[in-house]
Amino acid sequence: MEILIVEDSLDDANLTIRSLKKSNIVNHIHHVKDGAEALDFIFARGDYASRSNEPKPKLILLDLKMPKVNGIEVLAEIKSRPDTKSIPVVILTSSAEDPDIKKCYELGANSYITKPVEFDGFVKSVKDLGYYWIMLNKSN
């Protein structure tokens, strides 16, 4: 079971990874630092060309505000392709702006979570979303 975390903040990425590992519900977590790297990872291009025979992630946790390619562009690319549109994409971001939320759902985001500011709230949110998407949600 692989989760892809697309997050430019190393602190947020590390906290997310620790929260998921602590819940013991994932086998493999991969972190990429920007949208361009995420697309390369998902579609086995560039530095990730060797992934062409590996399965796609089972869940993508996607930040919106990132360098190179932003999260909305990444989401649009994932949901526009037949081989990736069924991958659950959870937006995990600091943006609580209505236009961002609306656009993400229009593009096919499966969930939109605003990162809690306090540590305990962040850890609980990540643990709960990991549990739901990996353990409870049924996907093909």
Side-chain angles (χ1 to χ4, degrees), residues 77-87:
E77 184 71 19
I78 292 167
K79 294 302 184 176
S80 71
R81 299 176 98 172
D83 61 329
T84 55
K85 72 179 180 180
S86 66
I87 298 172

Side-chain angles (χ1 to χ4, degrees), residues 70-135:
N70 69 42
I72 289 176
E73 294 168 306
V74 172
L75 176 64
E77 184 71 19
I78 292 167
K79 294 302 184 176
S80 71
R81 299 176 98 172
D83 61 329
T84 55
K85 72 179 180 180
S86 66
I87 298 172
V89 178
V90 175
I91 307 302
L92 184 59
T93 186
S94 58
S95 174
E97 298 175 25
D98 286 339
D100 285 341
I101 297 168
K102 182 178 181 194
K103 184 68 173 175
C104 287
Y105 280 121
E106 286 173 354
L107 290 171
N110 298 88
S111 187
Y112 192 106
I113 298 171
T114 303
K115 295 176 193 173
V117 176
E118 71 283 345
F119 175 82
D120 290 338
F122 186 92
V123 170
K124 182 176 181 341
S125 293
V126 169
K127 182 179 176 183
D128 290 348
L129 79 87
Y131 181 76
Y132 173 78
W133 285 106
I134 300 301
M135 302 300 285

Side-chain angles (χ1 to χ4, degrees), residues 23-65:
S23 64
N24 295 317
I25 56 173
V26 293
N27 294 343
H28 185 72
I29 302 168
H30 192 87
H31 169 240
V32 295
K33 64 187 175 312
D34 60 54
E37 189 178 0
L39 292 172
D40 285 350
F41 182 88
I42 294 163
F43 299 111
R45 313 185 294 216
D47 291 342
Y48 296 99
S50 62
R51 286 189 42 81
S52 61
N53 293 326
E54 294 184 35
K56 304 271 191 231
K58 294 293 183 188
L59 174 64
I60 298 171
L61 304 180
L62 180 63
D63 189 19
L64 291 185
K65 312 293 185 200

